[in-house]
PDB file of all heavy atoms in Angstrom:
ATOM      1  N   SER A   1     -69.476 -48.909 108.909  1.00  0.00           N
ATOM      2  CA  SER A   1     -68.579 -49.890 109.460  1.00  0.00           C
ATOM      3  C   SER A   1     -67.100 -49.717 108.921  1.00  0.00           C
ATOM      4  O   SER A   1     -66.240 -50.384 109.373  1.00  0.00           O
ATOM      5  CB  SER A   1     -69.037 -51.237 109.022  1.00  0.00           C
ATOM      6  OG  SER A   1     -69.012 -51.440 107.596  1.00  0.00           O
ATOM      7  N   GLY A   2     -66.902 -48.717 108.057  1.00  0.00           N
ATOM      8  CA  GLY A   2     -65.572 -48.411 107.567  1.00  0.00           C
ATOM      9  C   GLY A   2     -65.413 -48.639 106.095  1.00  0.00           C
ATOM     10  O   GLY A   2     -64.882 -47.901 105.360  1.00  0.00           O
ATOM     11  N   LYS A   3     -65.945 -49.792 105.627  1.00  0.00           N
ATOM     12  CA  LYS A   3     -65.725 -50.161 104.198  1.00  0.00           C
ATOM     13  C   LYS A   3     -66.916 -50.994 103.704  1.00  0.00           C
ATOM     14  O   LYS A   3     -67.566 -51.747 104.515  1.00  0.00           O
ATOM     15  CB  LYS A   3     -64.413 -50.862 103.914  1.00  0.00           C
ATOM     16  CG  LYS A   3     -64.337 -52.205 104.697  1.00  0.00           C
ATOM     17  CD  LYS A   3     -62.960 -52.908 104.501  1.00  0.00           C
ATOM     18  CE  LYS A   3     -62.951 -54.257 105.272  1.00  0.00           C
ATOM     19  NZ  LYS A   3     -61.644 -54.900 105.145  1.00  0.00           N
ATOM     20  N   ALA A   4     -67.194 -50.849 102.431  1.00  0.00           N
ATOM     21  CA  ALA A   4     -68.160 -51.693 101.760  1.00  0.00           C
ATOM     22  C   ALA A   4     -67.462 -52.464 100.661  1.00  0.00           C
ATOM     23  O   ALA A   4     -66.289 -52.191 100.346  1.00  0.00           O
ATOM     24  CB  ALA A   4     -69.358 -50.887 101.231  1.00  0.00           C
ATOM     25  N   ALA A   5     -68.170 -53.429  99.993  1.00  0.00           N
ATOM     26  CA  ALA A   5     -67.611 -54.161  98.935  1.00  0.00           C
ATOM     27  C   ALA A   5     -67.225 -53.241  97.763  1.00  0.00           C
ATOM     28  O   ALA A   5     -68.016 -52.457  97.390  1.00  0.00           O
ATOM     29  CB  ALA A   5     -68.535 -55.243  98.477  1.00  0.00           C
ATOM     30  N   GLY A   6     -66.022 -53.452  97.314  1.00  0.00           N
ATOM     31  CA  GLY A   6     -65.544 -52.537  96.191  1.00  0.00           C
ATOM     32  C   GLY A   6     -65.286 -53.177  94.882  1.00  0.00           C
ATOM     33  O   GLY A   6     -65.852 -54.307  94.628  1.00  0.00           O
ATOM     34  N   PHE A   7     -64.634 -52.474  94.023  1.00  0.00           N
ATOM     35  CA  PHE A   7     -64.350 -53.000  92.668  1.00  0.00           C
ATOM     36  C   PHE A   7     -63.051 -52.526  92.163  1.00  0.00           C
ATOM     37  O   PHE A   7     -62.453 -51.495  92.650  1.00  0.00           O
ATOM     38  CB  PHE A   7     -65.489 -52.539  91.734  1.00  0.00           C
ATOM     39  CG  PHE A   7     -65.662 -51.065  91.677  1.00  0.00           C
ATOM     40  CD1 PHE A   7     -65.049 -50.205  90.819  1.00  0.00           C
ATOM     41  CD2 PHE A   7     -66.597 -50.453  92.578  1.00  0.00           C
ATOM     42  CE1 PHE A   7     -65.194 -48.860  90.783  1.00  0.00           C
ATOM     43  CE2 PHE A   7     -66.736 -49.043  92.531  1.00  0.00           C
ATOM     44  CZ  PHE A   7     -66.060 -48.272  91.629  1.00  0.00           C
ATOM     45  N   GLY A   8     -62.454 -53.204  91.200  1.00  0.00           N
ATOM     46  CA  GLY A   8     -61.205 -52.850  90.592  1.00  0.00           C
ATOM     47  C   GLY A   8     -61.296 -52.442  89.187  1.00  0.00           C
ATOM     48  O   GLY A   8     -62.326 -52.720  88.481  1.00  0.00           O
ATOM     49  N   LEU A   9     -60.330 -51.661  88.754  1.00  0.00           N
ATOM     50  CA  LEU A   9     -60.260 -51.162  87.359  1.00  0.00           C
ATOM     51  C   LEU A   9     -58.847 -51.170  86.853  1.00  0.00           C
ATOM     52  O   LEU A   9     -57.890 -51.047  87.619  1.00  0.00           O
ATOM     53  CB  LEU A   9     -60.762 -49.717  87.316  1.00  0.00           C
ATOM     54  CG  LEU A   9     -62.227 -49.395  87.663  1.00  0.00           C
ATOM     55  CD1 LEU A   9     -62.411 -47.938  87.850  1.00  0.00           C
ATOM     56  CD2 LEU A   9     -63.149 -49.939  86.590  1.00  0.00           C
ATOM     57  N   THR A  10     -58.740 -51.517  85.526  1.00  0.00           N
ATOM     58  CA  THR A  10     -57.460 -51.405  84.938  1.00  0.00           C
ATOM     59  C   THR A  10     -57.636 -50.628  83.614  1.00  0.00           C
ATOM     60  O   THR A  10     -58.709 -50.056  83.354  1.00  0.00           O
ATOM     61  CB  THR A  10     -56.927 -52.857  84.492  1.00  0.00           C
ATOM     62  OG1 THR A  10     -57.742 -53.359  83.422  1.00  0.00           O
ATOM     63  CG2 THR A  10     -56.951 -53.811  85.687  1.00  0.00           C
ATOM     64  N   GLN A  11     -56.611 -50.507  82.819  1.00  0.00           N
ATOM     65  CA  GLN A  11     -56.700 -49.751  81.538  1.00  0.00           C
ATOM     66  C   GLN A  11     -57.589 -50.488  80.555  1.00  0.00           C
ATOM     67  O   GLN A  11     -58.226 -49.858  79.708  1.00  0.00           O
ATOM     68  CB  GLN A  11     -55.326 -49.592  80.914  1.00  0.00           C
ATOM     69  CG  GLN A  11     -54.431 -48.725  81.786  1.00  0.00           C
ATOM     70  CD  GLN A  11     -52.958 -48.740  81.220  1.00  0.00           C
ATOM     71  OE1 GLN A  11     -52.667 -48.014  80.272  1.00  0.00           O
ATOM     72  NE2 GLN A  11     -52.118 -49.521  81.870  1.00  0.00           N
ATOM     73  N   GLU A  12     -57.633 -51.828  80.587  1.00  0.00           N
ATOM     74  CA  GLU A  12     -58.419 -52.629  79.694  1.00  0.00           C
ATOM     75  C   GLU A  12     -59.918 -52.363  79.867  1.00  0.00           C
ATOM     76  O   GLU A  12     -60.442 -52.329  80.960  1.00  0.00           O
ATOM     77  CB  GLU A  12     -58.175 -54.098  80.011  1.00  0.00           C
ATOM     78  CG  GLU A  12     -58.521 -55.050  78.858  1.00  0.00           C
ATOM     79  CD  GLU A  12     -57.672 -54.986  77.677  1.00  0.00           C
ATOM     80  OE1 GLU A  12     -56.433 -55.023  77.849  1.00  0.00           O
ATOM     81  OE2 GLU A  12     -58.174 -54.914  76.510  1.00  0.00           O
ATOM     82  N   GLY A  13     -60.556 -52.006  78.700  1.00  0.00           N
ATOM     83  CA  GLY A  13     -61.874 -51.652  78.768  1.00  0.00           C
ATOM     84  C   GLY A  13     -62.164 -50.142  79.118  1.00  0.00           C
ATOM     85  O   GLY A  13     -63.306 -49.692  79.187  1.00  0.00           O
ATOM     86  N   ASN A  14     -61.040 -49.455  79.374  1.00  0.00           N
ATOM     87  CA  ASN A  14     -61.172 -47.985  79.715  1.00  0.00           C
ATOM     88  C   ASN A  14     -60.309 -47.154  78.830  1.00  0.00           C
ATOM     89  O   ASN A  14     -59.688 -46.173  79.240  1.00  0.00           O
ATOM     90  CB  ASN A  14     -60.793 -47.828  81.163  1.00  0.00           C
ATOM     91  CG  ASN A  14     -61.805 -48.385  82.101  1.00  0.00           C
ATOM     92  OD1 ASN A  14     -62.925 -47.941  82.150  1.00  0.00           O
ATOM     93  ND2 ASN A  14     -61.435 -49.419  82.896  1.00  0.00           N
ATOM     94  N   GLY A  15     -60.276 -47.548  77.556  1.00  0.00           N
ATOM     95  CA  GLY A  15     -59.594 -46.766  76.542  1.00  0.00           C
ATOM     96  C   GLY A  15     -58.120 -47.116  76.392  1.00  0.00           C
ATOM     97  O   GLY A  15     -57.467 -46.456  75.614  1.00  0.00           O
ATOM     98  N   GLY A  16     -57.629 -48.077  77.062  1.00  0.00           N
ATOM     99  CA  GLY A  16     -56.209 -48.447  76.977  1.00  0.00           C
ATOM    100  C   GLY A  16     -56.002 -49.954  77.022  1.00  0.00           C
ATOM    101  O   GLY A  16     -56.992 -50.717  77.154  1.00  0.00           O
ATOM    102  N   GLY A  17     -54.773 -50.297  77.038  1.00  0.00           N
ATOM    103  CA  GLY A  17     -54.363 -51.755  77.176  1.00  0.00           C
ATOM    104  C   GLY A  17     -53.395 -51.879  78.318  1.00  0.00           C
ATOM    105  O   GLY A  17     -52.667 -50.965  78.715  1.00  0.00           O
ATOM    106  N   ASN A  18     -53.334 -53.068  78.906  1.00  0.00           N
ATOM    107  CA  ASN A  18     -52.361 -53.390  80.013  1.00  0.00           C
ATOM    108  C   ASN A  18     -51.081 -53.887  79.519  1.00  0.00           C
ATOM    109  O   ASN A  18     -51.022 -54.999  79.018  1.00  0.00           O
ATOM    110  CB  ASN A  18     -53.014 -54.389  80.925  1.00  0.00           C
ATOM    111  CG  ASN A  18     -54.321 -53.900  81.545  1.00  0.00           C
ATOM    112  OD1 ASN A  18     -54.447 -52.745  81.907  1.00  0.00           O
ATOM    113  ND2 ASN A  18     -55.256 -54.850  81.673  1.00  0.00           N
ATOM    114  N   GLU A  19     -50.048 -52.994  79.558  1.00  0.00           N
ATOM    115  CA  GLU A  19     -48.730 -53.384  79.075  1.00  0.00           C
ATOM    116  C   GLU A  19     -47.719 -53.319  80.240  1.00  0.00           C
ATOM    117  O   GLU A  19     -47.956 -52.561  81.263  1.00  0.00           O
ATOM    118  CB  GLU A  19     -48.223 -52.454  77.965  1.00  0.00           C
ATOM    119  CG  GLU A  19     -49.074 -52.403  76.688  1.00  0.00           C
ATOM    120  CD  GLU A  19     -50.131 -51.311  76.649  1.00  0.00           C
ATOM    121  OE1 GLU A  19     -49.994 -50.402  77.527  1.00  0.00           O
ATOM    122  OE2 GLU A  19     -50.993 -51.382  75.831  1.00  0.00           O
ATOM    123  N   ALA A  20     -46.773 -54.112  80.164  1.00  0.00           N
ATOM    124  CA  ALA A  20     -45.709 -54.216  81.190  1.00  0.00           C
ATOM    125  C   ALA A  20     -45.128 -52.798  81.405  1.00  0.00           C
ATOM    126  O   ALA A  20     -44.736 -52.163  80.405  1.00  0.00           O
ATOM    127  CB  ALA A  20     -44.627 -55.193  80.770  1.00  0.00           C
ATOM    128  N   GLY A  21     -44.961 -52.448  82.644  1.00  0.00           N
ATOM    129  CA  GLY A  21     -44.257 -51.204  82.992  1.00  0.00           C
ATOM    130  C   GLY A  21     -45.133 -49.955  82.882  1.00  0.00           C
ATOM    131  O   GLY A  21     -44.620 -48.866  83.097  1.00  0.00           O
ATOM    132  N   ASP A  22     -46.432 -50.082  82.518  1.00  0.00           N
ATOM    133  CA  ASP A  22     -47.334 -48.875  82.545  1.00  0.00           C
ATOM    134  C   ASP A  22     -47.435 -48.217  83.855  1.00  0.00           C
ATOM    135  O   ASP A  22     -47.506 -47.039  84.077  1.00  0.00           O
ATOM    136  CB  ASP A  22     -48.724 -49.218  81.988  1.00  0.00           C
ATOM    137  CG  ASP A  22     -48.724 -49.400  80.473  1.00  0.00           C
ATOM    138  OD1 ASP A  22     -47.745 -49.052  79.810  1.00  0.00           O
ATOM    139  OD2 ASP A  22     -49.770 -49.853  80.014  1.00  0.00           O
ATOM    140  N   ASN A  23     -47.476 -49.110  84.875  1.00  0.00           N
ATOM    141  CA  ASN A  23     -47.669 -48.633  86.304  1.00  0.00           C
ATOM    142  C   ASN A  23     -48.907 -47.794  86.488  1.00  0.00           C
ATOM    143  O   ASN A  23     -48.902 -46.700  87.166  1.00  0.00           O
ATOM    144  CB  ASN A  23     -46.421 -47.951  86.804  1.00  0.00           C
ATOM    145  CG  ASN A  23     -45.170 -48.822  86.808  1.00  0.00           C
ATOM    146  OD1 ASN A  23     -44.063 -48.386  86.480  1.00  0.00           O
ATOM    147  ND2 ASN A  23     -45.336 -50.111  87.198  1.00  0.00           N
ATOM    148  N   PHE A  24     -49.973 -48.212  85.890  1.00  0.00           N
ATOM    149  CA  PHE A  24     -51.308 -47.564  86.081  1.00  0.00           C
ATOM    150  C   PHE A  24     -51.639 -47.594  87.598  1.00  0.00           C
ATOM    151  O   PHE A  24     -51.564 -48.663  88.195  1.00  0.00           O
ATOM    152  CB  PHE A  24     -52.335 -48.350  85.282  1.00  0.00           C
ATOM    153  CG  PHE A  24     -53.774 -48.008  85.493  1.00  0.00           C
ATOM    154  CD1 PHE A  24     -54.361 -46.957  84.840  1.00  0.00           C
ATOM    155  CD2 PHE A  24     -54.598 -48.747  86.344  1.00  0.00           C
ATOM    156  CE1 PHE A  24     -55.638 -46.603  84.940  1.00  0.00           C
ATOM    157  CE2 PHE A  24     -55.917 -48.435  86.439  1.00  0.00           C
ATOM    158  CZ  PHE A  24     -56.454 -47.370  85.805  1.00  0.00           C
ATOM    159  N   GLY A  25     -51.883 -46.445  88.178  1.00  0.00           N
ATOM    160  CA  GLY A  25     -52.194 -46.395  89.660  1.00  0.00           C
ATOM    161  C   GLY A  25     -51.007 -45.909  90.461  1.00  0.00           C
ATOM    162  O   GLY A  25     -51.074 -45.918  91.677  1.00  0.00           O
ATOM    163  N   THR A  26     -49.959 -45.392  89.758  1.00  0.00           N
ATOM    164  CA  THR A  26     -48.804 -44.857  90.529  1.00  0.00           C
ATOM    165  C   THR A  26     -49.191 -43.678  91.312  1.00  0.00           C
ATOM    166  O   THR A  26     -48.682 -43.454  92.473  1.00  0.00           O
ATOM    167  CB  THR A  26     -47.656 -44.475  89.549  1.00  0.00           C
ATOM    168  OG1 THR A  26     -47.151 -45.671  88.950  1.00  0.00           O
ATOM    169  CG2 THR A  26     -46.544 -43.721  90.211  1.00  0.00           C
ATOM    170  N   ALA A  27     -50.029 -42.812  90.810  1.00  0.00           N
ATOM    171  CA  ALA A  27     -50.495 -41.571  91.526  1.00  0.00           C
ATOM    172  C   ALA A  27     -52.007 -41.510  91.355  1.00  0.00           C
ATOM    173  O   ALA A  27     -52.594 -41.905  90.346  1.00  0.00           O
ATOM    174  CB  ALA A  27     -49.826 -40.346  90.882  1.00  0.00           C
ATOM    175  N   LEU A  28     -52.639 -40.960  92.334  1.00  0.00           N
ATOM    176  CA  LEU A  28     -54.142 -40.828  92.388  1.00  0.00           C
ATOM    177  C   LEU A  28     -54.497 -39.451  92.941  1.00  0.00           C
ATOM    178  O   LEU A  28     -53.849 -38.938  93.825  1.00  0.00           O
ATOM    179  CB  LEU A  28     -54.752 -41.857  93.331  1.00  0.00           C
ATOM    180  CG  LEU A  28     -54.485 -43.387  92.989  1.00  0.00           C
ATOM    181  CD1 LEU A  28     -55.009 -44.268  94.147  1.00  0.00           C
ATOM    182  CD2 LEU A  28     -55.233 -43.753  91.722  1.00  0.00           C
ATOM    183  N   ALA A  29     -55.598 -38.905  92.441  1.00  0.00           N
ATOM    184  CA  ALA A  29     -56.114 -37.610  92.986  1.00  0.00           C
ATOM    185  C   ALA A  29     -57.609 -37.543  92.729  1.00  0.00           C
ATOM    186  O   ALA A  29     -58.121 -38.043  91.675  1.00  0.00           O
ATOM    187  CB  ALA A  29     -55.444 -36.459  92.364  1.00  0.00           C
ATOM    188  N   VAL A  30     -58.326 -36.975  93.664  1.00  0.00           N
ATOM    189  CA  VAL A  30     -59.779 -36.883  93.518  1.00  0.00           C
ATOM    190  C   VAL A  30     -60.188 -35.423  93.489  1.00  0.00           C
ATOM    191  O   VAL A  30     -59.658 -34.580  94.306  1.00  0.00           O
ATOM    192  CB  VAL A  30     -60.423 -37.562  94.763  1.00  0.00           C
ATOM    193  CG1 VAL A  30     -61.935 -37.279  94.806  1.00  0.00           C
ATOM    194  CG2 VAL A  30     -60.169 -39.067  94.646  1.00  0.00           C
ATOM    195  N   GLY A  31     -61.042 -35.025  92.607  1.00  0.00           N
ATOM    196  CA  GLY A  31     -61.628 -33.666  92.533  1.00  0.00           C
ATOM    197  C   GLY A  31     -62.829 -33.628  91.654  1.00  0.00           C
ATOM    198  O   GLY A  31     -63.001 -34.455  90.824  1.00  0.00           O
ATOM    199  N   ASN A  32     -63.682 -32.670  91.851  1.00  0.00           N
ATOM    200  CA  ASN A  32     -64.962 -32.571  91.133  1.00  0.00           C
ATOM    201  C   ASN A  32     -64.673 -31.699  89.870  1.00  0.00           C
ATOM    202  O   ASN A  32     -64.877 -30.473  89.856  1.00  0.00           O
ATOM    203  CB  ASN A  32     -66.026 -31.991  91.951  1.00  0.00           C
ATOM    204  CG  ASN A  32     -67.418 -32.115  91.352  1.00  0.00           C
ATOM    205  OD1 ASN A  32     -67.537 -32.589  90.182  1.00  0.00           O
ATOM    206  ND2 ASN A  32     -68.447 -31.731  91.982  1.00  0.00           N
TER     207      ASN A  32
END
């Protein structure tokens, strides 16, 4: 149908912390 229910991620809980100006998600790339 195009899309299924998704999920979000931040730095918190993934080895980092959420600080002002980090701009996590500015660039993305996919590869195996």
Side-chain angles (χ1 to χ4, degrees):
S1 60
K3 62 183 179 183
F7 55 91
L9 294 167
T10 70
Q11 297 171 79
E12 197 71 44
N14 289 295
N18 299 322
E19 298 95 15
D22 282 349
N23 297 140
F24 174 81
T26 292
L28 303 168
V30 170
N32 191 357

